[in-house]
Amino acid sequence: MTEPHRDARVGHEHARTTGEARERDERDGPDARDTLRRAWDELVSTARRTVADGLVVGTSGNVSVRVGDTVLVTPTGVPYDRLTRDGIVGVGLDGRQVLGSLRPTSELPMHLAVYRATGARAVVHTHAPHATAVSLLVPELPLVHYMAAALGGPVRVAPYAAYGTPELAESTLRALAGRTACLLRNHGTIAYGDSLDQAYDRTAQLEWMCRVWLLSSSVPGLAPALLSPDQLAEAGERLRGYGQQE
């Protein structure tokens, strides 16, 4: 005679196994696989763009995009020009790897922290040279241009923490409060957005503003003219209506 508690345990195990199988089917069905492949192709293209535009060197920096509850992310130590569809890497929001055999980027904790704390759908992290230089000099990027409003306001510098650590993830989130991009001291940049294009554009805008400040502040005997908080707020209001409205 079968023990009642054993029947319950077997039933629970069967339900759990069936549930996991259903989740796999939903994730791995034809439509889901096509969506993931397209997202991965776009991620690889964005990662290669960071190299082409001089925002990273070698395998530094990393890119991720969220598809449902799966985060596709560049793998650690693999040159972007060698990435193929077979190299897809995906993790859950808990960090558990669910796709691919290559190990995810060492900066995975920072990416996941951003996804958990914000509505981000894509994250771009670079070692952009001008932005990294600025991170060594000031606690906040001076207001040299109104595009700071497009990033949520004055861009902060997160205190230094070793790469890949929970400490870096925590300091990044503090610097990102109310912002969509920040600088990482002695390290680089991180920006997020509703898409890879938006996250990349914010990264490029931040690097450009850092370059402008470095250039203008390097002229002997002169100091850059900076925007006031009111001027930045006005620009922010105007930017809300910028571009083609649907």
Side-chain angles (χ1 to χ4, degrees):
M1 181 175 179
T2 304
E3 298 177 9
H5 70 276
R6 181 175 182 277
D7 284 342
R9 187 169 65 250
V10 170
H12 176 73
E13 179 65 23
H14 174 72
R16 184 181 67 82
T17 304
T18 301
E20 290 177 351
R22 187 181 300 114
E23 289 177 2
R24 285 195 301 271
D25 289 344
E26 291 173 353
R27 188 182 69 231
D28 298 337
D31 291 343
R33 286 197 297 270
D34 286 345
T35 298
L36 287 169
R37 288 193 188 102
R38 288 194 297 271
W40 178 253
D41 288 345
E42 187 179 1
L43 179 148
V44 171
S45 176
T46 302
R48 290 175 178 169
R49 189 177 175 189
T50 65
V51 177
D53 290 352
L55 301 179
V56 303
V57 176
T59 60
S60 65
N62 23 78
V63 178
S64 66
V65 62
R66 180 174 176 177
V67 181
D69 290 332
T70 299
V71 175
L72 303 181
V73 62
T74 48
T76 184
V78 179
Y80 298 145
D81 60 359
R82 297 182 190 174
L83 290 179
T84 66
R85 280 193 169 181
D86 293 335
I88 190 170
V89 178
V91 302
L93 291 172
D94 59 358
R96 181 173 58 93
Q97 188 159 350
V98 296
L99 290 172
S101 58
L102 296 174
R103 288 190 297 117
T105 172
S106 57
E107 296 290 14
L108 183 61
M110 183 170 63
H111 285 254
L112 293 180
V114 173
Y115 287 116
R116 294 185 194 119
T118 72
R121 307 304 296 183
V123 176
V124 174
H125 165 53
T126 77
H127 293 180
H130 298 94
T132 303
V134 170
S135 81
L136 313 178
L137 301 171
V138 292
E140 182 178 278
L141 175 63
L143 289 176
V144 292
H145 199 273
Y146 62 79
M147 282 306 292
L151 304 180
V155 179
R156 306 183 188 101
V157 179
Y160 176 79
Y163 76 90
T165 61
E167 291 77 16
L168 178 59
E170 292 168 7
S171 66
T172 297
L173 287 185
R174 288 194 294 271
L176 282 175
R179 306 289 186 269
T180 54
C182 73
L183 302 175
L184 309 174
R185 190 175 301 283
N186 299 86
H187 190 156
T189 71
I190 187 167
Y192 70 86
D194 295 331
S195 65
L196 281 165
D197 280 344
Q198 187 178 59
Y200 186 86
D201 182 65
R202 287 170 172 169
T203 300
Q205 291 285 357
L206 177 54
E207 168 69 355
W208 179 82
M209 285 190 292
C210 288
R211 184 181 182 191
V212 167
W213 181 69
L214 289 171
L215 287 171
S216 61
S217 61
S218 67
V219 180
L222 296 176
L226 303 179
L227 298 176
S228 70
D230 287 344
Q231 288 171 323
L232 188 68
E234 179 189 12
E237 289 297 324
R238 294 180 65 83
L239 284 170
R240 288 189 179 92
Y242 177 78
Q244 302 298 315
Q245 305 300 307
E246 295 182 0

